[in-house]
């Protein structure tokens, strides 16, 4: 009885079963004309399951929706259901091996056809189909079957007790696909369904009118949206391209756009822009961590199709001493100061929030130590024997290709990191790639961050919701990107550790909150103490809205566009 009580209390602490309360609805759908969004990292696909890029997930969230999602406080809220299932209301089985969702009555797709439980079941089949390369497959871990006893009932059955059963179909990363549209797109055929991937049929407030990959998306208000008075905007223009500085100016200075996403700009630059008076910077901290990822496999072109695969270990980044030295050489305080100011803080963890999950075992990274980095390399036998400034061992030089997306802050970071690494005898060649391509999901493009045809790369990662179970599953051996999974794995560093995998499995069946927190910390520590990931900055999300745009509630736990149906034009100037 004591164990069951703990399980009940744990489950009860994780969600909110009250109805979502929105701002007052607009009197008339489409009355406010066109909404102009500037996502300078342009979307490359409108299917969240075929991209690990936040830009694509956010764009798709205007069209595709989950059963439940997270509000700006991190609380779980019903979306295509009226109530979140729980132990208390009978929606979660007493033995925690199943969860039953009850769809809201009368839901229809944007094409006017009924939204049913079969669509939910199909989405699970789609993401878990062999060879499909689903980027969000962690969301569906442990599911053995989904039953659909009627059109509105979805019963998810797990392979054992699952104390946190809210991973599948919750949050912007796990929306529902229409079975009729995607039924011929299972497995290896998934990336070939261009029309479905660019023009998905959804239940969200908007539908895609025109999609130009890595450029622009045009949306129209969904004529079959479930609230007849929403959305307030008849059209949405989502423009890509350019850079964060141009995006900030377009909202804060010139007023050409209503909303600019991901303003990765120095704090003084943002302050000058906001001072013009046309808009406001909106920001909030969540789980976004800017990090370096080290490639444990060999990216050399000479390997051909097997480059950056587990068949070929990296010639020197497999040496823990080299990885640790690269971390010791970095001055994270300076990176925060020049790149983010108050919108950033130094972190030594890949899991920076919520507070209960934050490890205190890695604080040493906060202090740069060039001398210690040199000592690690000396002790491991990496020496500069010919005086060219580059250390070598057994005929292998410490020369790295360091890539990231094109962005002023990231290029500043690259220059500094290159300088610090030169001080310890590591030569660095810098590359930057257009963000729309770098974070795209095209399995045929050699420049995506999943392909990782470089030695080191820098980007930010985060997770939706407040429970890190799915996020920490990202580093399972099975999640390594490869040709077999369309390069869609989330384990970018190619890290593979049996003990880590065991921790992931243990967390899936662990209920008490303190024990789950201990497991999450242990996984975090195993990653960062192996130096396969080098956390740099705990980043706040920073965007900008025009003074005349109302209803914006910036959300670090879901898509920033999560409540776009409630955005309205105001009289503010």
């Amino acid at each position: 009885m004591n164990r069951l009580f703990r399980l009940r209390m744990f489950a009860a602490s994780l969600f909110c079963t009250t109805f979502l309360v929105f701002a007052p609805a607009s009197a008339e759908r489409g009355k406010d004309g066109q909404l102009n969004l500037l996502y300078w990292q342009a979307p490359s696909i409108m299917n969240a399951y075929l991209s690990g890029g936040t830009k694509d997930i956010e764009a798709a969230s205007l069209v595709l929706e989950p059963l439940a999602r997270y509000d700006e406080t991190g609380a779980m809220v019903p979306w295509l259901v009226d109530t979140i299932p729980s132990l208390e209301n009978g929606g979660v089985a007493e033995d925690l091996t199943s969860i039953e969702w009850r769809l809201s009555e009368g839901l229809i797709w944007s094409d006017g056809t009924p939204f049913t439980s079969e669509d939910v079941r199909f989405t699970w089949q789609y993401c878990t189909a062999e060879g499909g390369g689903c980027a969000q497959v962690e969301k569906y871990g442990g599911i053995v079957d989904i039953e659909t006893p009627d059109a509105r009932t979805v019963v998810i059955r797990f392979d054992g007790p699952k104390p946190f059963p809210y991973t599948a179909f919750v949050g912007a990363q796990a929306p529902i696909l229409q079975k009729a549209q995607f039924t011929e797109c299972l497995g290896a055929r998934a990336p070939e369904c261009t029309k479905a991937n660019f023009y998905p049929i959804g239940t969200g407030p908007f539908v895609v009118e025109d999609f130009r990959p890595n450029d622009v998306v045009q949306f129209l208000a969904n004529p079959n949206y479930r609230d007849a008075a929403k959305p307030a905007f008849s059209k949405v223009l989502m423009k890509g391209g350019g850079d964060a500085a141009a995006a900030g100016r377009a909202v804060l200075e010139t007023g050409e756009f209503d909303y600019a996403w991901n303003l990765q700009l120095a704090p003084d630059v943002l302050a000058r822009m906001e001072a013009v008076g046309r808009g406001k910077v909106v920001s909030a901290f969540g789980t976004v961590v800017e990090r370096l990822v080290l490639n444990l496999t060999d990216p050399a072109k000479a390997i051909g199709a097997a480059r950056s695969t587990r068949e070929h270990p990296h010639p020197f980044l497999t040496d823990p001493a080299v990885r640790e030295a690269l971390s010791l050489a970095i001055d994270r305080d300076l990176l925060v100061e020049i790149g983010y100011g108050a919108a950033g803080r130094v972190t030594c963890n890949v899991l920076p929030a919520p507070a209960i999950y934050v490890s205190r075992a890695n604080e040493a990274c906060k202090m740069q130590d060039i001398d210690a980095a040199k000592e690690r390399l000396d002790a491991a036998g990496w020496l500069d024997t010919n005086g060219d400034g580059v250390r070598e061992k057994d005929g292998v030089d410490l020369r790295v290709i360091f890539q990231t997306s094109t962005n002023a802050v990231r290029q500043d970071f690259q220059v500094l990191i290159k300088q610090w690494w030169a001080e310890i005898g590591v030569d660095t060649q810098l590359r930057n790639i257009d963000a729309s391509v770098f974070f795209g999901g095209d399995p045929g493009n050699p420049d995506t961050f999943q392909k990782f045809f470089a030695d080191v790369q820098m980007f930010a990662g985060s997770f939706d919701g407040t429970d890190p179970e799915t996020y920490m599953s990202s580093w399972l051996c099975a999640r390594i990107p490869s040709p077999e999974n369309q390069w869609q794995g989330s384990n970018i560093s190619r890290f593979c550790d049996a003990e880590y995998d065991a921790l992931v499995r243990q967390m899936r069946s662990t209920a008490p909150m303190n024990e789950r927190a201990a497991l999450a910390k242990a996984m975090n520590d195993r990653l960062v103490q192996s130096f396969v990931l080098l956390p740099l900055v705990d980043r706040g999300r920073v965007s900008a809205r025009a003074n005349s745009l109302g209803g914006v509630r910036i959300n670090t736990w879901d898509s920033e566009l999560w409540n776009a149906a409630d955005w309205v034009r105001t009289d503010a100037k």
Side-chain angles (χ1 to χ4, degrees):
M1 179 63 69
N2 186 47
R3 176 177 179 274
L4 182 58
F5 174 77
R6 290 200 312 271
L7 296 180
R8 288 182 183 275
M9 291 301 290
F10 170 72
S13 70
L14 293 170
F15 52 79
C16 172
T17 55
T18 57
F19 291 99
L20 184 61
V21 179
F22 291 119
S26 302
E28 179 186 351
R29 175 179 293 159
K31 72 177 183 65
D32 288 338
Q34 181 167 296
L35 172 68
N36 295 314
L37 308 176
L38 194 44
Y39 272 56
W40 57 275
Q41 293 180 13
S44 56
I45 197 168
M46 287 292 295
N47 182 347
Y49 292 112
L50 295 184
S51 175
T54 303
K55 63 190 178 64
D56 300 322
I57 294 168
E58 297 243 336
S61 73
L62 291 173
V63 176
L64 300 172
E65 298 181 308
L67 299 182
R69 64 192 330 158
Y70 298 92
D71 69 11
E72 75 275 23
T73 71
M76 193 184 306
V77 291
W79 212 253
L80 298 179
V81 296
D82 297 325
T83 304
I84 303 291
S86 67
L87 279 166
E88 285 70 24
N89 62 29
V92 174
E94 289 286 335
D95 62 3
L96 304 180
T97 60
S98 67
I99 182 172
E100 180 176 314
W101 295 88
R102 183 70 174 167
L103 305 181
S104 298
E105 188 171 3
L107 294 174
I108 58 176
W109 292 100
S110 56
D111 66 356
T113 59
F115 175 96
T116 75
S117 57
E118 284 297 327
D119 295 301
V120 182
R121 174 179 167 79
F122 171 79
T123 300
W124 162 63
Q125 293 173 322
Y126 174 90
C127 189
T128 57
E130 186 175 354
C134 179
Q136 317 300 340
V137 72
E138 296 96 347
K139 293 284 189 180
Y140 300 95
I143 297 177
V144 294
D145 194 17
I146 295 183
E147 298 172 3
T148 55
D150 59 57
R152 291 179 56 202
T153 303
V154 177
V155 182
I156 303 174
R157 301 203 178 277
F158 303 106
D159 56 7
K162 190 172 178 63
F164 188 79
Y166 307 106
T167 54
F169 315 117
V170 179
Q173 296 177 2
I176 315 300
L177 301 179
Q178 189 193 57
K179 179 179 180 180
Q181 185 181 34
F182 283 87
T183 193
E184 299 299 324
C185 305
L186 294 174
R189 292 174 293 176
E192 300 171 3
C193 293
T194 303
K195 184 175 181 180
N197 292 330
F198 287 1
Y199 296 87
I201 295 166
T203 56
F206 298 97
V207 297
V208 181
E209 179 186 31
D210 186 39
F211 183 85
R212 302 175 196 172
N214 302 324
D215 184 11
V216 65
V217 192
Q218 293 179 312
F219 302 85
L220 296 175
N222 177 1
N224 291 306
Y225 189 60
R226 54 190 174 274
D227 187 329
K230 299 179 183 181
F233 292 97
S234 60
K235 297 180 180 180
V236 175
L237 172 70
M238 179 178 280
K239 184 71 178 71
D243 55 32
R249 286 194 295 271
V251 172
L252 298 171
E253 294 184 358
T254 69
E256 299 168 78
F257 282 80
D258 299 304
Y259 193 84
W261 167 81
N262 190 25
L263 297 185
Q264 199 172 352
L265 297 168
D268 59 323
V269 173
L270 279 173
R272 287 196 300 270
M273 290 181 180
E274 189 174 37
V276 174
R278 289 183 176 271
K280 298 292 184 184
V281 173
V282 290
S283 64
F285 278 99
T287 61
V288 180
V289 172
E290 189 80 11
R291 81 283 303 269
L292 297 181
V293 179
L294 309 187
N295 194 345
L296 298 183
T297 61
D298 193 343
K301 287 184 179 180
I303 299 173
R307 65 192 299 204
S308 288
T309 66
R310 291 280 296 175
E311 298 172 37
H312 297 275
H314 196 280
F316 57 83
L317 288 178
T318 47
D319 185 339
V322 175
R323 302 197 301 268
E324 184 178 4
L326 295 177
S327 181
L328 285 166
I330 298 171
D331 184 344
R332 290 166 172 82
D333 277 321
L334 182 56
L335 295 181
V336 169
E337 180 183 343
I338 68 165
Y340 299 99
R345 48 201 180 198
V346 171
T347 185
C348 298
N349 297 312
V350 74
L351 179 57
I356 190 173
Y357 299 112
V358 177
S359 172
R360 303 300 177 190
N362 309 300
E363 298 300 286
C365 99
K366 293 182 177 180
M367 293 296 295
Q368 182 189 41
D369 197 334
I370 295 290
D371 290 338
K374 292 177 179 178
E375 290 171 5
R376 297 291 194 281
L377 293 173
D378 287 343
W382 294 96
L383 306 171
D384 179 11
T385 58
N386 60 8
D388 67 351
V390 179
R391 294 173 183 261
E392 71 277 342
K393 179 181 177 181
D394 299 330
V396 176
D397 289 349
L398 292 186
R399 298 183 187 274
V400 300
I401 296 175
F402 173 18
Q403 70 181 22
T404 188
S405 63
T406 304
N407 170 272
V409 170
R410 286 188 172 136
Q411 270 67 82
D412 286 345
F413 279 22
Q414 280 186 305
V415 170
L416 286 170
I417 292 170
K418 177 178 179 175
Q419 174 185 319
W420 293 325
W421 286 351
E423 291 182 43
I424 65 170
V426 178
D427 179 68
T428 307
Q429 177 185 336
L430 303 180
R431 290 183 67 205
N432 64 83
I433 301 166
D434 182 90
S436 300
V437 174
F438 187 66
F439 295 114
D442 183 358
N445 195 309
D447 291 326
T448 66
F449 79 112
Q450 297 101 328
K451 284 281 187 72
F452 202 176
F453 289 166
D455 304 291
V456 182
Q457 61 185 1
M458 179 168 53
F459 58 89
S462 63
F463 61 95
D464 58 5
T466 55
D467 186 275
E469 178 185 312
T470 299
Y471 177 61
M472 301 313 291
S473 299
S474 299
W475 291 279
L476 286 166
C477 296
R479 296 301 297 135
I480 293 173
S482 68
E484 290 71 32
N485 61 19
Q486 308 286 346
W487 298 98
Q488 285 297 335
S490 55
N491 187 347
I492 306 300
S493 63
R494 281 61 167 162
F495 170 79
C496 186
D497 178 65
E499 292 187 28
Y500 187 92
D501 283 14
L503 290 170
V504 171
R505 291 191 296 271
Q506 188 177 351
M507 189 173 186
R508 287 175 177 170
S509 59
T510 297
M513 196 66 167
N514 62 329
E515 294 180 23
R516 287 177 69 80
L519 288 167
K521 291 176 184 178
M523 285 184 273
N524 171 87
D525 294 349
R526 200 160 189 87
L527 289 169
V528 301
Q529 291 173 15
S530 296
F531 300 100
V532 294
L533 301 171
L534 309 184
L536 302 175
V537 183
D538 177 8
R539 278 177 47 194
R541 283 200 186 188
V542 179
S543 295
R545 65 162 180 85
N547 289 335
S548 61
L549 181 61
V552 173
R553 292 150 63 188
I554 190 166
N555 191 338
T556 66
W557 311 107
D558 205 290
S559 166
E560 284 190 33
L561 304 176
W562 72 289
N563 73 327
D566 300 306
W567 290 12
V568 297
R569 183 73 65 205
T570 71
D571 294 331
K573 298 298 184 183

